[in-house]
């Protein structure tokens, strides 16, 4: 990590949920509306947290080969169904409500530094998504928020979820660069660890509020990355864009 | 084709070489410069034409399974090597010159209506590339010309070249829509025919100058498409964008 050279970076690959967009606020706000439409009381923040907690375990079952590849929408739907059962409110959310909830992940608010910071990074680099979200999900989300990505890369294209090495290496293959010429930007230690193990350069982007006011997000001091930054604008500063 | 309903279209998928960018001018201009650097005389327009003529036959060998999938850059390189041999100028173009020539296809000028027309189409639709060019090629080309696509879809993602049905169906799968909700825009009859056979809606975009001043491009009267338009601005008019 002492050998990191910003001039070697050609592609900036950005994690989305938590790093580029505020999934918790987005999912909680939409869940609160959908619940209110049905006259159901819901602690929407806790609901979003509980749903997100099922995310990594659900990916792992795919990456370990315990089940065939399925898109993230399918994993989200399965964990939603489980969650509603567990909370004893399954009867209050019909098929249409569940579809709306799954699609909440397609429309999430960007962190404020994302659009201006990515626009600066894009001047000198190819800037892509690299998310476990599906290709359609990412295209919809990026378009709605006006995020200035040059292209969309999803784990779906690799049929392997991060942190599987194949998910990271697919970015380098598709964009015809060496893995070390790709800088993975993420707010999560597991993602940074996966990217580093696959040979990518890494930038940890600290999002202390990602998990809401009462919970602790990953902190720079605990993550072994080539760079640690506080936002996309800061990353653009560091890379001289 | 009498049943075409513009309101059913959710995705506009655009062919690139010839339809969105002027490959002949771009390749000929760059080839003329590369030849001049080596002191070689070259009829650059005829050279670009002869190179392009080897394009469809080279794709067919892949689609018929006569060889494994290879990226378009590889096909371009092989047909370039053949062409230089055939013209007796192989010695004048070394490895570096040949790489520059292959990369000429990564930097091609957009037709004048493309950027403003696509910007209008993008307001109401997801607008994507659907080209036989590789993912890296398309990302580079689209970025350099500032073409406002929402995402990049390449035949590389299907590992099948247009006009194979799989190339067209991959757009619908990735963007999670029905094939009939995708409008394929192309200036070539073979592409329109392939898209229609795969169940996509089709718009023939006439580019009379695509093949240069002396040669005849495909004409609307000879093509069976849902729509026939004269440019991306005209397409935006027809779709009410």
């Amino acid at each position: 990590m002492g050998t990191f050279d910003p001039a070697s970076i050609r592609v900036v690959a950005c994690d989305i949920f938590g790093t580029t967009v505020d999934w918790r606020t987005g999912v909680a706000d939409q869940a609160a509306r959908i619940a209110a439409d049905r006259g159901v009381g819901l602690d929407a923040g806790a609901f979003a947290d509980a749903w997100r907690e099922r995310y990594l375990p659900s990916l792992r079952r795919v990456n370990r080969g315990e089940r065939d590849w399925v898109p993230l929408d399918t994993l989200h739907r399965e964990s939603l169904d489980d969650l509603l059962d567990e909370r004893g409110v399954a009867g209050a959310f019909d098929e249409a409500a569940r579809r709306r909830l799954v699609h909440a992940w397609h429309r999430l608010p960007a962190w404020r530094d994302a659009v201006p910071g990515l626009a600066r990074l894009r001047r000198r680099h190819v800037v892509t998504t690299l998310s476990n979200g599906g290709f359609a999900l990412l295209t919809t989300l990026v378009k709605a928020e006006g995020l200035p990505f040059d292209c969309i890369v999803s784990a779906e294209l690799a049929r392997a979820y991060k942190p599987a090495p194949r998910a990271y290496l697919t970015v380098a293959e598709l964009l015809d660069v060496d893995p070390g010429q790709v800088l993975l930007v993420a707010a999560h230690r597991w993602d940074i660890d996966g990217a580093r193990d696959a040979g990518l350069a890494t930038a940890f982007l600290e999002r202390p509020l990602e998990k809401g006011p009462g919970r602790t997000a990953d902190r720079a001091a605990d993550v072994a990355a080539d760079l640690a930054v506080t936002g996309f604008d800061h990353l653009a500063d560091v890379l001289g864009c």
Side-chain angles (χ1 to χ4, degrees), chain A:
Chain A
M1 289 188 289
T3 63
F4 176 74
D5 174 13
S8 67
I9 299 304
R10 293 180 56 195
V11 172
V12 177
C14 305
D15 174 57
I16 297 298
F17 302 128
T19 304
T20 307
V21 302
D22 178 1
W23 61 265
R24 187 178 190 274
T25 300
V27 170
D29 285 355
Q30 293 175 80
R33 277 200 298 277
I34 294 165
D37 287 351
R38 269 130 191 102
V40 182
L42 188 73
D43 178 342
F47 173 82
D49 293 337
W51 198 359
R52 178 72 173 178
E53 271 165 23
R54 291 158 191 253
Y55 169 74
L56 281 176
S58 70
L59 304 182
R60 264 186 224 120
R61 287 189 285 274
V62 174
N63 279 346
R64 287 176 180 160
E66 295 169 26
R67 61 183 301 184
D68 287 340
W69 168 265
V70 288
L72 187 64
D73 282 356
T74 303
L75 297 176
H76 274 155
R77 174 58 189 266
E78 291 173 359
S79 54
L80 172 67
D81 290 347
D82 282 348
L83 182 62
L84 295 175
D85 279 346
E86 185 184 283
R87 306 217 151 192
V89 291
F93 294 90
D94 61 8
E95 178 66 25
R98 290 170 194 230
R99 286 183 186 219
R100 280 178 68 193
L101 282 164
V102 167
H103 275 263
W105 293 91
H106 294 224
R107 291 290 183 97
L108 299 169
W111 295 108
R112 284 174 59 177
D113 54 284
V115 168
L118 291 169
R120 288 173 59 198
L121 291 164
R122 194 185 189 186
R123 290 184 209 150
R124 291 212 196 164
H125 302 88
V126 171
V127 182
T128 183
T129 63
L130 178 58
S131 166
N132 283 336
F135 193 89
L137 178 159
L138 292 171
T139 301
T140 301
L141 186 156
V142 162
K143 183 180 180 72
E145 289 298 296
L147 291 159
F149 286 106
D150 290 308
C151 57
I152 302 293
V153 178
S154 159
E156 182 179 358
L157 300 182
R159 294 179 84 83
Y161 286 109
K162 298 188 291 181
R166 191 147 48 95
Y168 301 100
L169 296 175
T170 292
V171 172
E173 287 169 16
L174 287 175
L175 292 170
D176 200 18
V177 296
D178 296 329
Q181 294 176 311
V182 180
L183 180 69
L184 188 282
V185 187
H188 310 112
R189 188 168 68 178
W190 63 267
D191 201 358
I192 295 291
D193 289 345
R196 191 185 57 245
D197 290 350
L200 275 64
T202 53
F204 179 70
L205 195 161
E206 201 169 59
R207 294 287 186 202
L209 299 177
E210 183 204 344
K211 297 183 179 179
R215 297 163 73 230
T216 307
D218 291 345
R219 305 304 298 258
D222 304 319
V223 180
D226 294 305
L227 300 174
V229 295
T230 57
F232 284 105
D233 42 2
H234 186 198
L235 180 60
D237 292 342
V238 170
L239 294 181
C241 300

